[in-house]
Amino acid sequence: MPPPKDVVKIAIQMVGAIPQLIELQQTKPLASVLKDVCDAWSLPNAERYALQYVDGRQTYITESNRGEIKNGSILRLTTSPDQEAERLYSGIQSNNADVKTDSLKKLASLSQDVTFAQEFINRNGLKQIFYIVEEGNDTGEMLAHTLKAFMELMEHDFVSWETLSAAFIKKIVSYVNMNAVDASVQQLSLSILENMVPTSRLLFELVKKEVTLDRLLTHLQVTNAQLQLKAMALLIALLLAATDAERRDMMDYLREKNIRQFIHKEQRELLQSLRQTAFESESEAPGSNFSTERRRSLCAKEFRKLGFMNNSNPAEDLRRAPPGLLALDNMVYFSRHTPNAYSRFVLENSSREDKHECPFARSSIQLTLILCEILHVGEPCSETAQAFYPMFFGQDHFFEELFCICIQLVNKTWKEMRATQEDFDKVLQVVREQITRTLSLKPTSLELFKTRVNALNYSEILKLRQTERLHQEETLAVPVLELRERLKPELLELIRQQRLLHLCEGTLFRKISSRRRQDKLWYCRLSPNHKVLHYGDVEEGVDSPPIESLPDKIPVADMKMLLMGKECPHTKEKSSGKQNKDVLELAFSIVYDVEEYCLNFIAPTRYEFCLWTDGLNVLLGKEMTSERMQTDLDVLLSMELKLRLLDLENISIPDTPPPVPKPPSNLNFCYDFSHAEQPWRPGIRRGPATSGGG
């Protein structure tokens, strides 16, 4: 029997103790739950403890978020947020450098939790952080932990950015402008300034004045990608907060300094890393002595194999925004984090024929755009949107990991569809549908998403489309299905008559010798009364000989059975594989007479094969079995249903008929014959009834 919905089974750990397995009653106050847990471990003062998730962000459990606890969750009994905030508040004021550094490191980690952050801020903890920054001279690990803790505390919006002191801001600016400072400190300082700029005009002007564009351009030239990213983010924040005139001046200055060269330099390095990961280039092999032109030619060839449209300058493919450079980031992430899958994708398609290869780069750019559109990346937050994907919060690099799954899906779907370059848009439309349909199932993890999206192959998409089309046309409603079944016998009879009519018209067949050499022609047709098959040899050029010119005949009554494919006696002879397969698909035989002779056929086309085998089955009193019969039946049923339902267009057809109301109490269809008038007789005049006699 499953546990009640308000009870979850969880494990609780504590350092140095055997874990407890309990059934947590969600209706029970959290203080009482903590009391029971502490009593089990003989711990006094339960109010000094709290429960915390072991994995992920290690959030504290409170009355407001306890509903998120799932069956199987692992929690930790730890110091309560208020006790921990008090301890760390004292620790960051310690004169012991090691204690202070450890306290700041723990503070940076715990400040992500809103409950702890509020407790720490309530103790005026931010003031102490300001003091460490403003008065301290450290530029290493301790300062990095301090700035990290500050950023996390400010994320909860308990304190406005406008309350920061001028001394604190100038200190942060100094870290950005210094050369001899830890890279992590500069990254955090740039992030702090980026968050400050949009909050007020005063802060924008202060940052714009203190952090020059030249300084930001210097940061863009370093090799540290994260530092480049933070510098670009601050630059964009300044441009967004500036007035139109200020923005024009800033852009003019940046163009003058040729900012594109710094961005393109990194972009070129990433593109080259993509190429080098996929191919062991001859031009870069030890001891190679290629000319510049030869090296450029080899690089262009490899970029073409990677699927770039512009081989000589692949950066041109990334100009479209969106997705812009996000597509390049995704490709690089895929190549670095799943190198085997990346190499397999590229090399597998490099070995295919040109028209059948799936272009990696072009597919990646289009897929990134599709993911941006599906997930509304780059769009303002919506107050009314309902879509929520829990798996988004289970990964540090969710978008990139999602891309890695989906780009492999593109290659898989490409192969399933046997696509060529002309089918590129069609394949990506199917991939979009696969992703959208899978996301609608609300998978809770990327692994579950991967399993489900790979199970939704191309054939499944076609089936779903067909089913939805039928639903849209209301051809799957119960009354319509019943009508379908009623129409089937009549339409099957129509198909039978058409098959017999085709046999009466006849078909020209070729005789194939034991050596599979095509030589003589012969003709076969059914008599108009459907009782005799006439056949005989004909000369080349005779299309439809009269029935009298065909000397041989088989009475339909003597026909015993119909053989097809490899059951036929004339297909059992050995021959080349491909030719024999072609013959098997078109061969059929009639077994007739008491001696069981066979008349062997090789149909000229699959269409003729279907019509003749169906017609012969009708003559034998058996069901028609060809694929053509099913196609014809579906077409006829669809047409007939549409004609029958024409008057019901835009009217919803219920699955069950509406109930018939009960007859009214005064309704009487019975006629009382006991008071019937006398039968009419000649000579007797009938008139109106009177009250008197005579």
Side-chain angles (χ1 to χ4, degrees):
M1 181 176 178
K5 291 183 178 179
D6 57 355
V7 175
V8 288
K9 295 183 178 181
I10 60 171
I12 301 179
Q13 299 177 348
M14 187 179 72
V15 178
I18 299 173
Q20 297 183 38
L21 300 176
I22 70 168
E23 291 188 355
L24 174 63
Q25 297 182 10
Q26 294 287 36
T27 55
K28 188 175 182 179
L30 198 55
S32 301
V33 174
L34 283 166
K35 180 73 166 59
D36 294 342
V37 171
C38 290
D39 287 348
W41 279 324
S42 302
L43 297 173
N45 305 317
E47 68 278 0
R48 295 185 177 180
Y49 294 93
L51 294 175
Q52 186 184 46
Y53 285 108
V54 170
D55 301 320
R57 298 186 66 176
Q58 303 179 4
T59 309
Y60 281 103
I61 304 300
T62 63
E63 291 290 355
S64 60
N65 67 16
R66 64 184 296 179
E68 300 171 10
I69 301 175
K70 306 296 182 186
N71 277 314
S73 295
I74 302 176
L75 306 182
R76 176 195 298 120
L77 185 69
T78 186
T79 313
S80 64
D82 59 327
Q83 294 288 318
E84 195 67 35
E86 186 65 39
R87 186 179 71 82
L88 293 179
Y89 181 71
S90 300
I92 64 176
Q93 299 179 64
S94 173
N95 292 323
N96 186 311
D98 291 337
V99 172
K100 190 173 185 177
T101 301
D102 289 342
S103 298
L104 286 167
K105 183 178 181 180
K106 186 70 179 292
L107 176 63
S109 173
L110 288 179
S111 294
Q112 298 177 51
D113 182 86
V114 63
T115 308
F116 171 85
Q118 192 163 24
E119 292 288 347
F120 186 80
I121 290 172
N122 288 344
R123 284 166 172 73
N124 214 7
L126 276 174
K127 183 178 180 181
Q128 188 59 36
I129 287 180
F130 294 154
Y131 177 80
I132 294 173
V133 173
E134 292 170 10
E135 302 299 327
N137 295 316
D138 184 77
T139 57
E141 182 185 7
M142 183 185 295
L143 179 59
H145 293 319
T146 306
L147 297 180
K148 176 67 174 173
F150 171 76
M151 279 291 295
E152 295 295 347
L153 291 168
M154 294 299 288
E155 282 291 324
H156 301 293
D157 289 333
F158 292 132
V159 180
S160 171
W161 290 89
E162 297 179 56
T163 60
L164 302 181
S165 67
F168 179 83
I169 296 172
K170 286 184 177 179
K171 199 76 174 182
I172 298 297
V173 167
S174 70
Y175 300 142
V176 173
N177 292 331
M178 287 171 62
N179 291 322
V181 66
D182 191 84
S184 59
V185 171
Q186 286 194 322
Q187 291 173 33
L188 288 162
S189 299
L190 287 165
S191 292
I192 292 170
L193 297 179
E194 177 203 347
N195 282 277
M196 286 168 45
V197 165
T199 57
S200 77
R201 178 69 188 175
L202 184 64
L203 290 176
F204 161 76
E205 291 176 346
L206 178 59
V207 174
K208 182 174 177 291
K209 178 183 176 182
E210 298 293 337
V211 182
T212 64
L213 293 179
D214 283 331
R215 186 59 190 168
L216 290 178
L217 290 175
T218 302
H219 285 306
L220 287 176
Q221 298 177 56
V222 300
T223 56
N224 188 321
Q226 284 299 312
L227 190 56
Q228 286 180 317
L229 185 65
K230 299 299 182 184
M232 181 59 74
L234 176 55
L235 179 58
I236 293 171
L238 287 167
L239 288 169
L240 290 173
T243 63
D244 291 341
E246 289 171 334
R247 191 179 300 115
R248 278 195 300 272
D249 292 341
M250 292 169 72
M251 288 304 299
D252 288 342
Y253 185 80
L254 291 172
R255 274 191 285 269
E256 181 184 332
K257 292 292 184 178
N258 196 10
I259 187 176
R260 288 183 182 275
Q261 66 175 317
F262 308 122
I263 302 172
H264 286 172
K265 180 183 177 183
E266 182 188 0
Q267 181 181 322
R268 283 195 298 270
E269 291 172 354
L270 292 175
L271 287 168
Q272 292 299 331
S273 74
L274 272 181
R275 181 182 62 81
Q276 291 162 2
T277 304
F279 308 106
E280 188 175 336
S281 180
E282 298 176 20
S283 63
E284 290 156 10
S288 62
N289 190 22
F290 288 105
S291 65
T292 304
E293 191 63 33
R294 173 66 172 154
R295 190 177 289 110
R296 188 179 293 116
S297 174
L298 286 173
C299 288
K301 181 181 177 182
E302 290 172 352
F303 277 124
R304 186 192 65 76
K305 288 182 179 180
L306 273 174
F308 284 96
M309 304 287 284
N310 192 319
N311 305 328
S312 58
N313 185 12
E316 291 294 320
D317 289 16
L318 304 168
R319 281 189 175 275
R320 180 183 177 186
L325 292 178
L326 180 58
L328 178 59
D329 290 342
N330 283 336
M331 287 188 275
V332 172
Y333 186 92
F334 180 52
S335 69
R336 291 177 178 174
H337 290 79
T338 54
N340 291 336
Y342 169 68
S343 298
R344 186 166 56 249
F345 188 118
V346 175
L347 297 178
E348 180 182 291
N349 285 285
S350 298
S351 61
R352 291 181 189 164
E353 297 178 25
D354 284 349
K355 64 177 183 177
H356 286 288
E357 61 185 12
C358 178
F360 170 73
R362 185 183 175 195
S363 300
S364 298
I365 293 167
Q366 190 62 28
L367 175 62
T368 303
L369 177 62
I370 288 172
L371 292 176
C372 286
E373 291 173 351
I374 292 174
L375 299 174
H376 304 286
V377 175
E379 298 179 17
C381 294
S382 171
E383 299 293 335
T384 58
Q386 298 296 315
F388 174 70
Y389 304 109
M391 65 177 183
F392 185 92
F393 303 95
Q395 299 281 339
D396 290 333
H397 302 280
F398 169 80
F399 193 84
E400 292 88 345
E401 291 290 341
L402 182 64
F403 172 86
C404 292
I405 294 170
C406 293
I407 192 62
Q408 295 177 76
L409 175 68
V410 171
N411 193 36
K412 174 175 173 286
T413 305
W414 186 280
K415 290 187 286 187
E416 290 171 353
M417 295 176 66
R418 298 178 182 178
T420 62
Q421 293 292 336
E422 290 76 16
D423 301 319
F424 180 82
D425 291 336
K426 182 179 177 183
V427 173
L428 270 294
Q429 285 173 3
V430 173
V431 170
R432 177 192 284 271
E433 190 171 341
Q434 290 170 315
I435 296 170
T436 305
R437 288 182 183 274
T438 305
L439 286 176
S440 68
L441 301 174
K442 294 291 190 297
T444 54
S445 67
L446 271 177
E447 279 302 315
L448 188 56
F449 172 84
K450 181 178 180 180
T451 302
R452 288 181 173 176
V453 80
N454 283 311
L456 194 61
N457 54 36
Y458 180 55
S459 59
E460 287 296 320
I461 289 290
L462 291 180
K463 289 178 185 176
L464 288 169
R465 286 177 176 177
Q466 175 71 2
T467 303
E468 289 169 359
R469 184 181 65 80
L470 293 175
H471 272 297
Q472 190 174 3
E473 296 174 358
E474 293 188 327
T475 52
L476 291 184
V478 175
V480 177
L481 291 175
E482 291 177 359
L483 177 59
R484 234 178 120 90
E485 291 304 313
R486 289 186 185 182
L487 292 173
K488 265 188 182 180
E490 178 186 342
L491 297 177
L492 282 171
E493 182 57 32
L494 186 63
I495 295 172
R496 291 189 195 99
Q497 294 302 321
Q498 187 269 338
R499 299 301 195 255
L500 293 176
L501 181 61
H502 185 79
L503 266 60
C504 289
E505 293 174 355
T507 302
L508 188 67
F509 297 93
R510 285 187 178 273
K511 288 185 177 180
I512 300 181
S513 67
S514 59
R515 295 181 182 178
R516 292 291 183 266
R517 187 180 70 253
Q518 297 184 358
D519 39 26
K520 294 183 179 181
L521 298 172
W522 65 288
Y523 202 86
C524 186
R525 67 191 303 173
L526 180 65
S527 63
N529 62 4
H530 303 166
K531 292 188 177 181
V532 181
L533 271 178
H534 297 263
Y535 65 97
D537 295 346
V538 295
E539 296 297 328
E540 190 83 40
V542 178
D543 291 332
S544 182
I547 200 167
E548 297 81 11
S549 65
L550 302 175
D552 301 312
K553 59 183 71 175
I554 300 174
V556 172
D558 290 348
M559 290 166 48
K560 304 298 182 185
M561 69 177 73
L562 174 67
L563 303 176
M564 291 183 283
K566 60 184 179 182
E567 296 177 347
C568 301
H570 62 306
T571 62
K572 294 181 180 178
E573 302 168 9
K574 294 182 180 179
S575 63
S576 63
K578 185 178 185 304
Q579 189 179 11
N580 191 46
K581 183 180 178 183
D582 294 339
V583 170
L584 282 174
E585 292 179 349
L586 301 174
F588 60 97
S589 301
I590 300 171
V591 181
Y592 64 96
D593 209 348
V594 179
E595 301 295 333
E596 296 194 350
Y597 297 113
C598 287
L599 181 62
N600 300 321
F601 297 77
I602 300 292
T605 64
R606 186 68 185 176
Y607 174 78
E608 289 287 346
F609 173 86
C610 293
L611 266 60
W612 270 86
T613 53
D614 282 345
L616 292 172
N617 273 323
V618 171
L619 293 174
L620 290 167
K622 296 182 178 180
E623 295 291 329
M624 297 178 288
T625 58
S626 76
E627 68 267 19
R628 183 75 193 186
M629 183 279 298
Q630 190 58 51
T631 302
D632 290 348
L633 181 61
D634 289 341
V635 170
L636 291 171
L637 277 171
S638 178
M639 291 173 60
E640 189 66 24
L641 282 171
K642 287 178 180 177
L643 289 171
R644 297 283 185 105
L645 301 176
L646 201 58
D647 293 336
L648 296 179
E649 190 174 0
N650 298 325
I651 296 176
S652 178
I653 302 175
D655 287 340
T656 56
V660 179
K662 294 180 180 180
S665 58
N666 60 351
L667 184 64
N668 188 353
F669 288 102
C670 181
Y671 184 77
D672 188 357
F673 287 94
S674 62
H675 295 88
E677 296 182 3
Q678 293 296 324
W680 177 81
R681 294 178 184 173
I684 299 178
R685 178 178 176 272
R686 294 183 180 274
T690 60
S691 58

